[in-house]
Amino acid sequence: MSDRNDDVKVYQNKKAKAEDYKSSAYTLLLVGVIGMAALVLMIAGVLPFHFGGDGRYITYGVMGILFAVFVVMGFSSLKASKRFAEEASDEENLTGKIKAWAREQITADVLRQRVWFAEGTSDEEKYFQYFEAIKNAVTQEFGSLNASYLDALCEELYAELFEAK
């Protein structure tokens, strides 16, 4: 039996993703280039240690392939970083539009009037109903959005409406 939270994905904004990919790219490139240089220096006899025995060529080959993979992955991460950086500006614009619209159209009082609660409804249940009302209003105005993005955004809107006082 699968837990209900198995399918939940935590949202990470595009700007943060771009930074993560960029730092990973630089790390992979640095390790790959330094590793390849060290390997070449070992094979050339410049460094004072060597792999001996019949398996040294296999060891050099595997290490060379490993460092080459690091370099390729580094360039791939750098490319992904640039793509996410471009997407980040679009996402920031959309987020700004949604928040500006929400500040004008959605207030705590409006939500309290729209959402009906039975007598004795717990604060947790109220939270979920208010959250769904915010989510429905945003979806109605802006159309279908990425589910994890929408959840994170509505979480921020809820906090601005009910917790910032």
Side-chain angles (χ1 to χ4, degrees):
M1 180 176 203
S2 137
D3 188 85
R4 195 174 149 200
N5 291 329
D6 287 345
D7 296 331
V8 175
K9 294 180 180 169
V10 177
Y11 176 73
Q12 183 181 23
N13 68 37
K14 305 281 186 193
K15 189 174 184 178
K17 273 188 180 180
E19 290 300 319
D20 285 350
Y21 274 87
K22 190 176 188 179
S23 66
S24 295
Y26 289 147
T27 302
L28 288 166
L29 287 169
L30 182 69
V31 170
V33 169
I34 290 174
M36 288 179 118
L39 188 60
V40 168
L41 293 174
M42 282 175 52
I43 293 170
V46 175
L47 293 178
F49 49 89
H50 304 280
F51 293 112
D54 295 333
R56 72 176 175 253
Y57 298 112
I58 292 175
T59 304
Y60 288 142
V62 169
M63 288 177 58
I65 290 170
L66 178 71
F67 292 131
V69 167
F70 281 3
V71 170
V72 169
M73 288 175 56
F75 282 118
S76 175
S77 291
L78 197 56
K79 184 178 178 182
S81 166
K82 289 179 182 178
R83 182 174 46 89
F84 282 121
E86 291 170 2
E87 292 175 7
S89 67
D90 294 340
E91 182 181 83
E92 287 175 5
N93 289 338
L94 178 61
T95 300
K97 285 179 188 176
I98 293 172
K99 285 185 174 184
W101 172 84
R103 285 186 196 103
E104 293 176 9
Q105 302 297 320
I106 303 174
T107 64
D109 292 332
V110 168
L111 284 175
R112 286 185 186 105
Q113 291 172 0
R114 286 186 186 170
V115 179
W116 179 83
F117 298 110
E119 188 78 23
T121 302
S122 71
D123 288 341
E124 184 177 288
E125 290 173 2
K126 287 180 181 179
Y127 162 80
F128 285 114
Q129 289 183 3
Y130 284 141
F131 183 84
E132 282 302 314
I134 293 168
K135 195 173 174 179
N136 290 335
V138 170
T139 301
Q140 186 175 2
E141 182 67 24
F142 293 93
S144 180
L145 300 169
N146 177 290
S148 58
Y149 169 73
L150 181 61
D151 286 345
L153 183 62
C154 290
E155 201 54 59
E156 289 178 34
L157 292 173
Y158 179 88
E160 287 178 16
L161 292 170
F162 293 101
E163 296 173 3
K165 295 181 179 180

